[in-house]
Amino acid sequence: MPILKMQADIPHHMISFPPNSPSPTPAAKLPRHHHDHNKNSNRHVPKAISISSPPPTITTTTTNHETTPLDQNDDAVAAFWDYQFLFISQRKETTQPITLLPVNGAVPPDFPKGTYYLAGPGLFSDDHGSTVHPLDGHGYLKSFHVAAAGEGNKEVQFMAKYVRTEAQMEEHEPETDTWRFTHRGPFSLLKGGRRVGNTKVMKNVANTSVLKWGRRLFCLWEGGDPYQIDHRSLDTVGRFGLIDDGGGGGEKKEKESHDAGGGGVDLWDVAAGLLKPILYGVFRMPPKRLLSHYKLDTKRDRLLTLSCNAEDMLMPRNNFTFYEYDSNFKLLQKQEFEIPDRLMIHDWAFTDTHYILFGNRIKIDVLGAIQAVCGLSPMISTLSVDPPSSSTSPIYLLPRFPENDDGGRDWRVPVEAPAPMWLLHVGNAFQTVDESGNAEIRVHAATCSYQWFNFTKLFGYNWRSGKLDPSAMNFAKESEYELLPHLVEVTINLSSGSTCDVAPLNQWNKATDFPIINPAFSGDRHRYVYAAACSGSRPTLPHFPFDTVVKMDVEEGSVATWTAPRRTFIGEPIFVPKPQYSSGPGEEDDGYLLVVEYAVAIQKCYLVILDPKRIGEGDDAIAARLEVPRELNFPLGFHGFWAPDDDDDL
């Protein structure tokens, strides 16, 4: 694959002004920033910056990576600009690793050697007037490699490159380093491209999650094959057919299905037969849509993935296929389940005995579908959430090993959770036995309400204007906590007819998402949950973007937090276990947390290493903060993966 030339153009921005704010005269200019390095304290001390939008003019002074408070009127405008800078395009790539300089502390000597990979979008605007939704931005993979630096020290080497998907190579001209969007993508509508008749909808941008398994590195998206990446150079190897039928030569399990037609002609099979030539041939959708979220069963050393049929989005049933692979990608197990419900599944859970699907219900928006087919609205406007008519939500418990199932429960009948909730992300699930000897499943996850979740307003992107509106993610009041993304514990009692209970996790009442645990405990009972949350300190951005790492002790019910400096946001945290977990037992929080700080006010990114045991002790929790060069400042990332070094990395 050709490597893009490094170029010094100023990154493109998607910027509009908040409603009722005066238009800038002249057009707002991006400020230049200056910085000093105090050699004695090794701390970054930026000088005063201002964002010009007269009137008013906002000026904040930063000292030691902290900013002075703004009054509420000034903060409303600053918050708007800060939100735009969180989704700033980055066209530059690295051809060689760059050693990051610490501005606070140093990489701990006992930090494991390995690489933190972070997936996310990198480009939101082309050179012909089109912008795209963050979920349609081309995949831009970042790597932070922790390596020995001599005399017992450690250093972090940074790289960043675009994933060379088919869409990326079509839309980018490497000789001139120019871009022209030709694929609509599910969430976007092109202004500078052809609308009517443009069937390039499924834009596999490989921007959602990243995985290293079996010494192969992959970038995944929500609707197509993953792309394999060279883990050293970050060059794209090509598409990897992970779910091809017959691949791996493993055992193929019997398909389990629900016969909705009572043994006669199934009208939905007929409808599916009519849809497939259109979806597969005209819109070039893959027959099976691999989901971006996977699971690792560390006890069995297995990779678990999930796919659904492309036509399921338009039909009142879903065909889910689960795959389990060993470390050599041998297919050990494949199971198919047909569920008579129209669902949107993004994340899911597993235990030793079950696959667990939370039933996010959707419906067809007929008017939106007509407009989407005509090129007048994004394809995602074909769908909308379908709030349950009752105060419950379905949860499907699918037998992972049917040969071990006692047959006492029909998996086709969902467990009804006593709360209408839309599942966002799962931290972990495990099976245990309560004090009375009853078997139960517990799931720790981030959910929100159907009222809060909106396909066409995710991240505040307005496809009509091509701009970002932060208010779309911040409309609920704190008193309406149940509407916002928040952490819950779902308990399903398997011994009493699968009754279910849902409770806020540790009574934490701030907007929260991206729950994670120590990966060594995946599928097992765990004590600690970490997540990204919002402190609520900014009146204009009370719920998103996130600025806080929260640590929850689910045994004691306690909560501890660490918050980034003002006007700084964070992404998903990642837990890095210390090496003793490979040779013996250790405490569950014995390791480190990695999180990226997006210091939007000075347009810089930092990799922060936190001590989990010291969360709640302010900046004493910071082991190190390392600075990414400003010219490589990157937009908000999505999901990451920590891969310890193995023999293939040496």
Side-chain angles (χ1 to χ4, degrees), residues 452 471-481 483-484 542-543:
W452 186 88
S471 66
M473 302 288 285
N474 288 280
F475 70 85
K477 300 177 182 178
E478 188 169 328
S479 59
E480 300 173 310
Y481 162 74
L483 302 181
L484 299 167
H543 311 307

Side-chain angles (χ1 to χ4, degrees), residues 220-237:
L220 297 92
W221 182 59
E222 197 72 340
D225 289 334
Y227 274 79
Q228 184 179 344
I229 310 295
D230 185 293
H231 69 270
R232 296 187 187 89
S233 66
L234 298 192
D235 289 341
T236 303
V237 177

Side-chain angles (χ1 to χ4, degrees), residues 202-215:
M202 296 302 287
K203 182 179 183 178
N204 187 338
V205 286
N207 69 3
T208 309
S209 61
V210 58
L211 162 72
K212 190 177 182 186
W213 181 258
R215 298 190 176 182

Side-chain angles (χ1 to χ4, degrees), residues 147-198:
E151 299 182 357
N153 297 320
K154 298 284 179 65
E155 65 181 12
V156 177
Q157 299 171 340
F158 174 76
M159 292 191 72
K161 287 186 180 179
Y162 274 97
V163 182
R164 300 304 195 268
T165 65
E166 293 178 6
Q168 191 272 349
M169 290 190 291
E170 178 180 321
E171 297 185 340
H172 178 250
E173 173 49 59
E175 294 299 321
T176 59
D177 194 25
T178 57
W179 297 77
R180 179 189 287 274
F181 295 150
T182 57
H183 292 68
R184 294 168 60 183
F187 294 88
S188 309
L189 192 68
L190 304 183
K191 287 189 175 181
R194 182 165 61 97
R195 293 192 184 187
V196 179
N198 184 353

Side-chain angles (χ1 to χ4, degrees), residues 160-325:
K161 287 186 180 179
Y162 274 97
V163 182
R164 300 304 195 268
T165 65
E166 293 178 6
Q168 191 272 349
M169 290 190 291
E170 178 180 321
E171 297 185 340
H172 178 250
E173 173 49 59
E175 294 299 321
T176 59
D177 194 25
T178 57
W179 297 77
R180 179 189 287 274
F181 295 150
T182 57
H183 292 68
R184 294 168 60 183
F187 294 88
S188 309
L189 192 68
L190 304 183
K191 287 189 175 181
R194 182 165 61 97
R195 293 192 184 187
V196 179
N198 184 353
T199 59
K200 295 181 178 180
V201 174
M202 296 302 287
K203 182 179 183 178
N204 187 338
V205 286
N207 69 3
T208 309
S209 61
V210 58
L211 162 72
K212 190 177 182 186
W213 181 258
R215 298 190 176 182
R216 297 176 188 259
L217 180 66
F218 303 100
C219 284
L220 297 92
W221 182 59
E222 197 72 340
D225 289 334
Y227 274 79
Q228 184 179 344
I229 310 295
D230 185 293
H231 69 270
R232 296 187 187 89
S233 66
L234 298 192
D235 289 341
T236 303
V237 177
R239 282 178 29 173
F240 188 83
L242 188 62
I243 60 173
D244 288 346
D245 286 339
E251 178 185 0
K252 183 176 180 180
K253 297 289 184 180
E254 290 294 323
K255 176 181 177 180
E256 306 219 21
S257 64
H258 175 82
D259 186 3
V265 176
D266 190 334
L267 295 179
W268 295 121
D269 282 341
V270 175
L274 297 174
L275 277 174
K276 289 177 182 179
I278 300 174
L279 297 178
Y280 303 172
V282 178
F283 289 99
R284 304 177 187 176
M285 295 184 183
K288 286 191 177 295
R289 186 172 62 88
L290 182 70
L291 302 191
S292 59
H293 279 281
Y294 52 83
K295 304 297 171 183
L296 297 181
D297 185 338
T298 54
K299 288 191 299 185
R300 292 182 173 86
D301 194 26
R302 292 188 180 189
L303 167 66
L304 282 59
T305 64
L306 172 62
S307 74
C308 58
N309 292 359
E311 66 272 13
D312 288 348
M313 289 292 182
L314 303 177
M315 303 185 66
R317 70 180 189 188
N318 278 93
N319 293 273
F320 294 107
T321 306
F322 293 86
Y323 310 82
E324 300 197 16
Y325 301 91

Side-chain angles (χ1 to χ4, degrees), residues 11 88 93 339 461:
I88 187 171
E93 297 179 298
I339 294 177
Y461 181 76

